[in-house]
Amino acid sequence: MEKEITIYDIARELDLSPTTVSRALNDHPAVNHKTKQRISEAATQMGYRSNMFASNLRKQRTNTIGLIVPRLDSPFHSSVIAGMEKVANEEGYNLIISQSLETMQKEKANANAMFNSRVDGLLVSLSFETENLDHFESFISKGIPVIFYDRVADHKDCTSIVIDNLQAAYKATSHLIEQGCTNIVHITGNLKRNVYADRLKGYKYALVDHDLPFTDSNVIISQMTEEAGKEAAQQILRMDPLPDGIFVSNDLCAVSCIKALKKAGVSIPKDIAVIGFNNDAISRVIEPNLTTVNYPSQEMGEVALKVLLVQMNGTGERIPGNTIHLRSELIIRESSLRSKASTKKKAVIL
Amino acid sequence: MEKEITIYDIARELDLSPTTVSRALNDHPAVNHKTKQRISEAATQMGYRSNMFASNLRKQRTNTIGLIVPRLDSPFHSSVIAGMEKVANEEGYNLIISQSLETMQKEKANANAMFNSRVDGLLVSLSFETENLDHFESFISKGIPVIFYDRVADHKDCTSIVIDNLQAAYKATSHLIEQGCTNIVHITGNLKRNVYADRLKGYKYALVDHDLPFTDSNVIISQMTEEAGKEAAQQILRMDPLPDGIFVSNDLCAVSCIKALKKAGVSIPKDIAVIGFNNDAISRVIEPNLTTVNYPSQEMGEVALKVLLVQMNGTGERIPGNTIHLRSELIIRESSLRSKASTKKKAVIL
DNA sequence: TAAATAATTGAAACCGATTTCATATATTTG
DNA sequence: CAAATATATGAAATCGGTTTCAATTATTTA
């Protein structure tokens, strides 16, 4: 447990001032090249490491980015985080992470903790429950950029990063219709969240555009968990007539629903065609393989972090109300294929 | 962008000294109860927030815990992290996370970054490639506790948190033998890592204890990815005779292997019984459902963090060479069941 | 009631880097 | 060669809490 070396130690050693040492270590142009060399050598030789707290205290910035996710143990979010970590790491930023566990109360607490930790920027994917964005105002009024991704909300000073959920849902539903489905159920999450509200819209518009009726009773709102998928299946099995298509807002829920339906003797896709969302690994494991929407999760993480960095280091001018869309695509697999020919049919574009 | 409130502002406002304000906010016993009340009210009313950098600078600690994982986008690690975040959050610690992407070089770089960020403690699950622990010596010699979990290594000053991999593998292999398997393949990862080395041992000992021969050619070393599972299946299909059992060191790889085998016309478990490891969600999706080892991942995260906190706040005395074992269990599903009766048979315990 | 002890409070140093402003030396220009 | 400019360095203030040591006031004890 040796003593920590400071710039004062280096200064004394080389008979210079701490000022010059500090400048040299930060590659300041006003320091002689040779002096820099000497200082840098002494620093490594003496085992110096910069004290970020002294530096942060003085510079009033922390080199730290906060992240609030609904859950850490979800394939989607892990993948997003992997993308964020990659960029943060490359750029020399620290990422501090917390989860809201889908409650607004924890999201608030986490936001406050991040605020007190004085993060230089904040990345957020909203919880199911979140009703308003008041807990982010402290950041915004201080000029700390806040970026929402995936589960976003409209705020004039915040950038959002999303896929076109409406279009993705429209394509998925249209695909089911092309496969001959006329009675399609949609299983989705809390409509407070854009992702679910938009997918519901896309589902609805696709029905309307294909002259199919929209019924409230065909929309099942759930927690989108494995358990919820099973329950949704029970609910569907009680429907009369049985639907001939299901569009689910996430893969885990879709898969668990399929499992329950199969157990009840329903044939997928013959009796009911199913489409999921996200393209998680399980979508390639369930039989039949699940048609789903490919979500560029890792890319979304990378983009979110890059955009945040731009805003953090930017000249202060915010790109107001800006929304960035990433491309998603329908991946057609067996779970939705009821006619061989149809794959060649051109998809209807919104 | 209003000005930041400091304890000096509060002190001036209430005509007190910064000393007293600081003490009051930290609930120091030597401050009068009423004074505390006044200060705390003024603080909230004025919108004060503590400057962690000033505090850290003076206190020489950071309230931050570093975490280095091989990959963020793995069900196992996300679940561990979820557990860690939960405890860290409750205890008021920040978690900064980075991934080694299975290379020693990145692991080193991340360790250095963590060291410079002056984390108060470090949690590590080693990369495939890691050859030695030199990059953690800086922590250890400074008295910063380092804890390894899952993929651990022996170090006299570090605690490790693991499950009994040898026993788990022994049980899994024994189960296959009880099901009538006599020619069992083991697919596992880099033997530099304890988890894989120990599982290999458990596999080997189970064979020996049941008077079955052990052959090197029945052990396939791979990267344990989805792709690797497919390749392993090809290798297995070329074996003559075909094995009648496979024990795979992770579920993803097992599932992808099963998919490839099924495609080649092999019947699971009739022709080949399969067991995975981890109890990821996909193990309940593949058909037949995968027999696997339940890994208490979230619990491992919680325990790791709690043990770290004890060491960080402890009296400095380290529990040397301490290893903590968590309980795991074999979850028997269809992928390994070849005889109905056998489930009732008592498992052989090592 | 005087002396001893406990309860509160504050002044000032400190943590370690950054930055402003000033200064000394070196180089260039007229 | 004097004046102007460029180059290189340093002194000291600063960021905002924490902590040591001292001082003051209140309370208890003899």
Side-chain angles (χ1 to χ4, degrees), chain B residues 180-220:
Chain B
C181 300
T182 56
N183 182 15
I184 303 172
V185 164
H186 179 37
I187 304 176
T188 195
N190 193 320
L191 296 179
K192 260 184 264 181
R193 294 285 72 82
N194 64 302
V195 287
Y196 304 118
D198 289 351
R199 289 172 199 173
L200 175 58
K201 269 189 207 158
Y203 157 81
K204 195 187 278 189
Y205 294 168
L207 293 183
V208 171
D209 286 355
H210 291 85
D211 299 319
L212 289 173
F214 167 78
T215 345
D216 270 332
S217 60
N218 267 359
V219 176
I220 300 176

Short mmCIF file of all heavy atoms in Angstrom, two decimals, chain B residues 180-220:
data_model
loop_
_atom_site.label_atom_id
_atom_site.label_comp_id
_atom_site.label_asym_id
_atom_site.label_seq_id
_atom_site.Cartn_x
_atom_site.Cartn_y
_atom_site.Cartn_z
N GLY B 180 -28.67 -45.04 -19.57
CA GLY B 180 -28.21 -46.07 -20.49
C GLY B 180 -27.15 -45.65 -21.48
O GLY B 180 -26.76 -46.41 -22.35
N CYS B 181 -26.68 -44.43 -21.35
CA CYS B 181 -25.64 -43.97 -22.27
C CYS B 181 -24.30 -44.61 -21.89
O CYS B 181 -23.95 -44.69 -20.71
CB CYS B 181 -25.49 -42.46 -22.23
SG CYS B 181 -26.99 -41.57 -22.68
N THR B 182 -23.55 -45.03 -22.89
CA THR B 182 -22.24 -45.63 -22.61
C THR B 182 -21.14 -44.96 -23.42
O THR B 182 -19.97 -45.24 -23.24
CB THR B 182 -22.24 -47.13 -22.97
OG1 THR B 182 -22.63 -47.27 -24.34
CG2 THR B 182 -23.21 -47.90 -22.09
N ASN B 183 -21.55 -44.09 -24.33
CA ASN B 183 -20.56 -43.44 -25.20
C ASN B 183 -20.90 -41.95 -25.25
O ASN B 183 -21.62 -41.49 -26.13
CB ASN B 183 -20.63 -44.09 -26.60
CG ASN B 183 -19.61 -43.50 -27.54
OD1 ASN B 183 -18.67 -42.81 -27.12
ND2 ASN B 183 -19.80 -43.73 -28.83
N ILE B 184 -20.38 -41.23 -24.29
CA ILE B 184 -20.82 -39.84 -24.08
C ILE B 184 -19.77 -38.85 -24.54
O ILE B 184 -18.59 -38.94 -24.17
CB ILE B 184 -21.12 -39.60 -22.59
CG1 ILE B 184 -22.19 -40.61 -22.12
CG2 ILE B 184 -21.58 -38.17 -22.35
CD1 ILE B 184 -22.42 -40.59 -20.62
N VAL B 185 -20.22 -37.89 -25.34
CA VAL B 185 -19.34 -36.81 -25.79
C VAL B 185 -19.50 -35.62 -24.85
O VAL B 185 -20.59 -35.36 -24.35
CB VAL B 185 -19.69 -36.40 -27.23
CG1 VAL B 185 -19.08 -35.05 -27.58
CG2 VAL B 185 -19.21 -37.47 -28.22
N HIS B 186 -18.40 -34.92 -24.63
CA HIS B 186 -18.46 -33.71 -23.81
C HIS B 186 -17.99 -32.52 -24.64
O HIS B 186 -16.88 -32.54 -25.16
CB HIS B 186 -17.58 -33.89 -22.57
CG HIS B 186 -17.54 -32.69 -21.66
ND1 HIS B 186 -18.64 -31.90 -21.41
CD2 HIS B 186 -16.53 -32.17 -20.91
CE1 HIS B 186 -18.30 -30.95 -20.56
NE2 HIS B 186 -17.04 -31.08 -20.24
N ILE B 187 -18.86 -31.53 -24.75
CA ILE B 187 -18.49 -30.31 -25.48
C ILE B 187 -18.27 -29.22 -24.44
O ILE B 187 -19.15 -28.92 -23.65
CB ILE B 187 -19.60 -29.85 -26.44
CG1 ILE B 187 -19.94 -30.98 -27.41
CG2 ILE B 187 -19.18 -28.60 -27.20
CD1 ILE B 187 -21.10 -30.65 -28.34
N THR B 188 -17.08 -28.63 -24.46
CA THR B 188 -16.79 -27.63 -23.44
C THR B 188 -15.87 -26.55 -23.97
O THR B 188 -15.50 -26.57 -25.15
CB THR B 188 -16.21 -28.33 -22.18
OG1 THR B 188 -16.27 -27.44 -21.09
CG2 THR B 188 -14.78 -28.79 -22.41
N GLY B 189 -15.54 -25.58 -23.12
CA GLY B 189 -14.76 -24.42 -23.56
C GLY B 189 -13.30 -24.52 -23.17
O GLY B 189 -12.82 -25.58 -22.73
N ASN B 190 -12.62 -23.43 -23.33
CA ASN B 190 -11.19 -23.35 -23.08
C ASN B 190 -10.83 -23.88 -21.68
O ASN B 190 -11.28 -23.37 -20.66
CB ASN B 190 -10.78 -21.88 -23.18
CG ASN B 190 -9.29 -21.73 -23.26
OD1 ASN B 190 -8.55 -22.42 -22.57
ND2 ASN B 190 -8.83 -20.84 -24.12
N LEU B 191 -9.96 -24.88 -21.64
CA LEU B 191 -9.66 -25.54 -20.37
C LEU B 191 -8.80 -24.70 -19.43
O LEU B 191 -8.55 -25.08 -18.29
CB LEU B 191 -9.00 -26.89 -20.63
CG LEU B 191 -9.91 -27.90 -21.35
CD1 LEU B 191 -9.18 -29.21 -21.58
CD2 LEU B 191 -11.19 -28.15 -20.56
N LYS B 192 -8.36 -23.55 -19.93
CA LYS B 192 -7.67 -22.64 -19.04
C LYS B 192 -8.61 -22.16 -17.94
O LYS B 192 -8.20 -21.81 -16.84
CB LYS B 192 -7.20 -21.40 -19.83
CG LYS B 192 -5.75 -21.44 -20.21
CD LYS B 192 -5.35 -20.15 -20.89
CE LYS B 192 -5.42 -20.31 -22.38
NZ LYS B 192 -5.03 -19.18 -23.19
N ARG B 193 -9.87 -22.14 -18.26
CA ARG B 193 -10.86 -21.64 -17.30
C ARG B 193 -11.37 -22.75 -16.41
O ARG B 193 -11.79 -23.81 -16.88
CB ARG B 193 -12.02 -20.96 -18.01
CG ARG B 193 -11.64 -19.69 -18.76
CD ARG B 193 -11.41 -18.50 -17.82
NE ARG B 193 -10.19 -18.55 -17.03
CZ ARG B 193 -8.99 -18.19 -17.46
NH1 ARG B 193 -8.83 -17.73 -18.68
NH2 ARG B 193 -7.94 -18.30 -16.67
N ASN B 194 -11.35 -22.47 -15.11
CA ASN B 194 -11.79 -23.44 -14.11
C ASN B 194 -13.12 -24.10 -14.46
O ASN B 194 -13.29 -25.30 -14.29
CB ASN B 194 -11.93 -22.75 -12.76
CG ASN B 194 -13.01 -21.67 -12.78
OD1 ASN B 194 -12.95 -20.74 -13.58
ND2 ASN B 194 -14.01 -21.82 -11.93
N VAL B 195 -14.09 -23.29 -14.91
CA VAL B 195 -15.41 -23.86 -15.13
C VAL B 195 -15.35 -25.03 -16.10
O VAL B 195 -15.97 -26.08 -15.88
CB VAL B 195 -16.42 -22.81 -15.63
CG1 VAL B 195 -16.81 -21.87 -14.51
CG2 VAL B 195 -15.90 -22.02 -16.80
N TYR B 196 -14.57 -24.88 -17.15
CA TYR B 196 -14.51 -25.93 -18.15
C TYR B 196 -13.60 -27.08 -17.70
O TYR B 196 -13.92 -28.25 -17.91
CB TYR B 196 -14.08 -25.37 -19.50
CG TYR B 196 -14.99 -24.24 -19.92
CD1 TYR B 196 -14.52 -22.95 -20.10
CD2 TYR B 196 -16.36 -24.47 -20.09
CE1 TYR B 196 -15.38 -21.92 -20.46
CE2 TYR B 196 -17.22 -23.45 -20.44
CZ TYR B 196 -16.72 -22.17 -20.63
OH TYR B 196 -17.57 -21.16 -20.96
N ALA B 197 -12.51 -26.73 -17.08
CA ALA B 197 -11.60 -27.77 -16.59
C ALA B 197 -12.31 -28.63 -15.55
O ALA B 197 -12.22 -29.86 -15.57
CB ALA B 197 -10.35 -27.12 -15.99
N ASP B 198 -13.03 -27.99 -14.65
CA ASP B 198 -13.70 -28.73 -13.59
C ASP B 198 -14.83 -29.60 -14.14
O ASP B 198 -15.07 -30.71 -13.66
CB ASP B 198 -14.27 -27.78 -12.54
CG ASP B 198 -13.18 -27.12 -11.71
OD1 ASP B 198 -12.01 -27.54 -11.85
OD2 ASP B 198 -13.49 -26.19 -10.94
N ARG B 199 -15.52 -29.08 -15.14
CA ARG B 199 -16.61 -29.88 -15.70
C ARG B 199 -16.05 -31.10 -16.43
O ARG B 199 -16.64 -32.17 -16.40
CB ARG B 199 -17.47 -29.01 -16.63
CG ARG B 199 -18.29 -27.99 -15.85
CD ARG B 199 -19.00 -26.99 -16.74
NE ARG B 199 -19.38 -25.81 -15.94
CZ ARG B 199 -19.89 -24.69 -16.43
NH1 ARG B 199 -20.11 -24.58 -17.75
NH2 ARG B 199 -20.19 -23.69 -15.64
N LEU B 200 -14.92 -30.88 -17.07
CA LEU B 200 -14.29 -32.01 -17.73
C LEU B 200 -13.91 -33.08 -16.71
O LEU B 200 -14.13 -34.27 -16.92
CB LEU B 200 -13.04 -31.54 -18.50
CG LEU B 200 -12.19 -32.64 -19.15
CD1 LEU B 200 -13.04 -33.45 -20.14
CD2 LEU B 200 -10.99 -32.04 -19.89
N LYS B 201 -13.37 -32.62 -15.59
CA LYS B 201 -13.01 -33.57 -14.54
C LYS B 201 -14.23 -34.33 -14.05
O LYS B 201 -14.21 -35.56 -13.88
CB LYS B 201 -12.41 -32.81 -13.34
CG LYS B 201 -10.92 -32.67 -13.40
CD LYS B 201 -10.40 -32.11 -12.06
CE LYS B 201 -9.11 -31.35 -12.27
NZ LYS B 201 -8.85 -30.40 -11.19
N GLY B 202 -15.31 -33.60 -13.80
CA GLY B 202 -16.53 -34.24 -13.31
C GLY B 202 -17.03 -35.28 -14.30
O GLY B 202 -17.47 -36.38 -13.92
N TYR B 203 -16.97 -34.92 -15.56
CA TYR B 203 -17.38 -35.83 -16.63
C TYR B 203 -16.50 -37.09 -16.61
O TYR B 203 -16.98 -38.21 -16.61
CB TYR B 203 -17.25 -35.08 -17.96
CG TYR B 203 -17.11 -35.93 -19.21
CD1 TYR B 203 -18.22 -36.50 -19.82
CD2 TYR B 203 -15.85 -36.09 -19.80
CE1 TYR B 203 -18.08 -37.24 -20.99
CE2 TYR B 203 -15.69 -36.81 -20.96
CZ TYR B 203 -16.81 -37.39 -21.56
OH TYR B 203 -16.67 -38.12 -22.71
N LYS B 204 -15.20 -36.84 -16.50
CA LYS B 204 -14.25 -37.95 -16.53
C LYS B 204 -14.45 -38.87 -15.32
O LYS B 204 -14.54 -40.09 -15.45
CB LYS B 204 -12.83 -37.37 -16.52
CG LYS B 204 -11.75 -38.34 -16.90
CD LYS B 204 -10.36 -37.72 -16.70
CE LYS B 204 -9.92 -36.83 -17.84
NZ LYS B 204 -8.49 -36.43 -17.71
N TYR B 205 -14.55 -38.27 -14.13
CA TYR B 205 -14.70 -39.06 -12.92
C TYR B 205 -15.98 -39.89 -12.95
O TYR B 205 -16.02 -41.03 -12.49
CB TYR B 205 -14.71 -38.17 -11.67
CG TYR B 205 -13.39 -37.48 -11.42
CD1 TYR B 205 -13.30 -36.45 -10.50
CD2 TYR B 205 -12.23 -37.85 -12.10
CE1 TYR B 205 -12.10 -35.80 -10.25
CE2 TYR B 205 -11.03 -37.21 -11.86
CZ TYR B 205 -10.96 -36.18 -10.94
OH TYR B 205 -9.79 -35.53 -10.71
N ALA B 206 -17.04 -39.31 -13.49
CA ALA B 206 -18.30 -40.05 -13.56
C ALA B 206 -18.14 -41.28 -14.44
O ALA B 206 -18.62 -42.37 -14.11
CB ALA B 206 -19.42 -39.16 -14.09
N LEU B 207 -17.44 -41.09 -15.57
CA LEU B 207 -17.19 -42.23 -16.45
C LEU B 207 -16.44 -43.31 -15.69
O LEU B 207 -16.84 -44.48 -15.65
CB LEU B 207 -16.38 -41.80 -17.68
CG LEU B 207 -17.05 -40.85 -18.67
CD1 LEU B 207 -16.12 -40.59 -19.86
CD2 LEU B 207 -18.38 -41.42 -19.16
N VAL B 208 -15.34 -42.90 -15.10
CA VAL B 208 -14.48 -43.85 -14.39
C VAL B 208 -15.26 -44.58 -13.30
O VAL B 208 -15.21 -45.80 -13.19
CB VAL B 208 -13.27 -43.11 -13.77
CG1 VAL B 208 -12.49 -44.03 -12.84
CG2 VAL B 208 -12.38 -42.57 -14.88
N ASP B 209 -16.01 -43.81 -12.51
CA ASP B 209 -16.76 -44.43 -11.41
C ASP B 209 -17.82 -45.40 -11.90
O ASP B 209 -18.32 -46.23 -11.15
CB ASP B 209 -17.43 -43.35 -10.55
CG ASP B 209 -16.40 -42.64 -9.68
OD1 ASP B 209 -15.22 -43.05 -9.70
OD2 ASP B 209 -16.77 -41.66 -8.99
N HIS B 210 -18.22 -45.25 -13.15
CA HIS B 210 -19.21 -46.18 -13.70
C HIS B 210 -18.57 -47.18 -14.66
O HIS B 210 -19.25 -47.76 -15.50
CB HIS B 210 -20.33 -45.41 -14.41
CG HIS B 210 -21.20 -44.64 -13.46
ND1 HIS B 210 -20.86 -43.38 -13.02
CD2 HIS B 210 -22.36 -44.96 -12.83
CE1 HIS B 210 -21.79 -42.93 -12.19
NE2 HIS B 210 -22.72 -43.88 -12.06
N ASP B 211 -17.27 -47.30 -14.53
CA ASP B 211 -16.52 -48.27 -15.33
C ASP B 211 -16.67 -48.08 -16.84
O ASP B 211 -16.75 -49.05 -17.60
CB ASP B 211 -16.94 -49.71 -14.96
CG ASP B 211 -16.64 -49.98 -13.50
OD1 ASP B 211 -15.55 -49.56 -13.03
OD2 ASP B 211 -17.50 -50.58 -12.82
N LEU B 212 -16.76 -46.80 -17.24
CA LEU B 212 -16.79 -46.53 -18.67
C LEU B 212 -15.45 -45.94 -19.07
O LEU B 212 -14.81 -45.24 -18.28
CB LEU B 212 -17.91 -45.54 -18.99
CG LEU B 212 -19.33 -46.09 -18.87
CD1 LEU B 212 -20.36 -44.97 -19.04
CD2 LEU B 212 -19.58 -47.19 -19.92
N PRO B 213 -15.02 -46.21 -20.28
CA PRO B 213 -13.71 -45.69 -20.70
C PRO B 213 -13.78 -44.19 -21.00
O PRO B 213 -14.80 -43.69 -21.45
CB PRO B 213 -13.43 -46.48 -21.98
CG PRO B 213 -14.78 -46.78 -22.52
CD PRO B 213 -15.68 -46.99 -21.33
N PHE B 214 -12.69 -43.51 -20.71
CA PHE B 214 -12.59 -42.09 -21.08
C PHE B 214 -11.70 -41.97 -22.31
O PHE B 214 -10.60 -42.53 -22.36
CB PHE B 214 -11.98 -41.30 -19.93
CG PHE B 214 -11.56 -39.92 -20.34
CD1 PHE B 214 -12.52 -38.91 -20.48
CD2 PHE B 214 -10.23 -39.63 -20.63
CE1 PHE B 214 -12.15 -37.64 -20.88
CE2 PHE B 214 -9.86 -38.35 -21.03
CZ PHE B 214 -10.82 -37.36 -21.15
N THR B 215 -12.18 -41.30 -23.33
CA THR B 215 -11.38 -41.09 -24.54
C THR B 215 -11.25 -39.61 -24.83
O THR B 215 -12.25 -38.89 -24.81
CB THR B 215 -12.07 -41.70 -25.79
OG1 THR B 215 -13.09 -42.58 -25.36
CG2 THR B 215 -11.06 -42.34 -26.69
N ASP B 216 -10.04 -39.19 -25.13
CA ASP B 216 -9.81 -37.79 -25.49
C ASP B 216 -10.67 -37.36 -26.67
O ASP B 216 -11.16 -36.24 -26.73
CB ASP B 216 -8.33 -37.58 -25.86
CG ASP B 216 -7.53 -37.22 -24.62
OD1 ASP B 216 -8.13 -36.62 -23.70
OD2 ASP B 216 -6.32 -37.51 -24.59
N SER B 217 -10.83 -38.28 -27.60
CA SER B 217 -11.55 -37.91 -28.82
C SER B 217 -13.02 -37.64 -28.57
O SER B 217 -13.73 -37.16 -29.44
CB SER B 217 -11.38 -39.01 -29.88
OG SER B 217 -11.91 -40.22 -29.38
N ASN B 218 -13.49 -37.97 -27.40
CA ASN B 218 -14.89 -37.66 -27.08
C ASN B 218 -15.06 -36.28 -26.44
O ASN B 218 -16.16 -35.90 -26.06
CB ASN B 218 -15.47 -38.73 -26.15
CG ASN B 218 -16.18 -39.83 -26.93
OD1 ASN B 218 -16.24 -39.76 -28.16
ND2 ASN B 218 -16.69 -40.83 -26.23
N VAL B 219 -13.95 -35.56 -26.29
CA VAL B 219 -14.05 -34.22 -25.73
C VAL B 219 -13.83 -33.20 -26.84
O VAL B 219 -12.81 -33.23 -27.53
CB VAL B 219 -13.00 -34.02 -24.62
CG1 VAL B 219 -13.04 -32.59 -24.11
CG2 VAL B 219 -13.22 -35.01 -23.49
N ILE B 220 -14.81 -32.34 -27.01
CA ILE B 220 -14.71 -31.31 -28.04
C ILE B 220 -14.55 -29.96 -27.36
O ILE B 220 -15.39 -29.54 -26.57
CB ILE B 220 -15.98 -31.29 -28.93
CG1 ILE B 220 -16.15 -32.65 -29.62
CG2 ILE B 220 -15.92 -30.16 -29.94
CD1 ILE B 220 -17.42 -32.76 -30.44
#
